[in-house]
Amino acid sequence: MYIGYARVSTQDQHLDLQEDALKRAGCEKIVVDRVSGTVAERPGLAHVKDLLRADDTLVVWRLDRLGRSMKDLIAWMSWLEQAGIGLRSLQEVLDTTSTSGRLTFHIFAALAEFEKQLIQERTQAGLKAARARGRLGGRPKALQPGRQQRAVQLYHAQELTVKEICEMMGISKPTLYAYVRQAQASS
């Protein structure tokens, strides 16, 4: 049996394109999620897992509807293989019910992992080069050191409320408290 899974990230998006494609592909059941792929708990996807049986095929419009990362997709593929269930992606023209389809999936997975490692290496090399030129990176401080000291002095003087100090300095309460902790740690 072909069981389809469709997902959109927000309530505003439409599922028509995915559902139509899944119906044309022969899906007898289609389960839908309206939740971001970054959310681990997707009720529709959990329901799909309950529906699938050995020799079934899970059909998705695109692989990114099933998982956001290659790690997620590989975990799904591993579970599907162990359960004797195929995976078919309509846009990537991938069908793991065949030997060549499984090979293709694993090649994609290996290439994606390779690409991820290259990006990490490039990022690290770029950060190292920037540091060598004296650039530290990171989020800039909300206030210059002199204004940070003034905010801490106002806090300790207790003449103004925390809210008033924050409004005057244009910072948030957590930022003010971080400056106070930093000043206490350096004293």
Side-chain angles (χ1 to χ4, degrees):
M1 176 189 319
Y2 282 179
I3 297 177
Y5 174 70
R7 180 183 62 77
V8 289
S9 299
T10 67
Q11 295 294 331
D12 301 350
Q13 294 175 326
H14 299 285
L15 289 159
D16 301 340
L17 175 70
Q18 292 179 55
E19 288 181 312
D20 291 347
L22 293 171
K23 286 175 188 171
R24 280 192 307 274
C27 292
E28 295 175 38
K29 295 180 183 177
I30 298 174
V31 179
V32 170
D33 263 329
R34 290 183 183 273
V35 63
S36 170
T38 59
V39 175
E41 294 298 319
R42 292 184 258 162
L45 202 49
H47 182 58
V48 164
K49 239 180 187 178
D50 292 336
L51 289 174
L52 289 166
R53 302 288 177 252
D55 296 324
D56 284 349
T57 299
L58 173 59
V59 183
V60 292
W61 183 64
R62 285 178 50 127
L63 287 174
D64 68 351
R65 301 297 84 197
L66 182 60
R68 277 296 223 187
S69 69
M70 190 50 68
K71 183 180 174 184
D72 289 345
L73 291 173
I74 291 170
W76 261 98
M77 191 60 220
S78 177
W79 181 85
L80 292 168
E81 280 180 332
Q82 288 176 358
I85 300 165
L87 174 65
R88 188 170 165 212
S89 173
L90 303 177
Q91 290 297 300
E92 286 88 2
V93 192
L94 176 73
D95 187 347
T96 65
T97 60
S98 70
T99 305
S100 62
R102 284 190 297 280
L103 173 65
T104 302
F105 179 83
H106 288 291
I107 289 171
F108 282 157
L111 290 173
E113 184 63 28
F114 177 69
E115 179 184 28
K116 180 178 136 192
Q117 289 174 355
L118 282 178
I119 291 169
Q120 288 173 339
E121 287 174 8
R122 280 190 226 121
T123 301
Q124 291 303 317
L127 290 171
K128 186 176 179 181
R131 283 188 207 107
R133 289 189 309 273
R135 185 138 196 274
L136 295 176
R139 186 174 178 178
K141 297 289 183 194
L143 297 177
Q144 296 299 320
R147 288 187 46 92
Q148 287 180 24
Q149 290 173 346
R150 180 69 182 135
V152 172
Q153 289 170 351
L154 289 170
Y155 175 82
H156 287 303
Q158 297 181 346
E159 294 173 5
L160 300 171
T161 67
V162 169
K163 183 178 180 183
E164 289 171 332
I165 297 169
C166 292
E167 287 174 358
M168 179 189 307
M169 295 292 181
I171 58 175
S172 67
K173 288 180 185 180
T175 300
L176 174 61
Y177 292 130
Y179 291 154
V180 170
R181 283 191 305 275
Q182 182 180 348
Q184 289 172 341
S186 63
S187 348

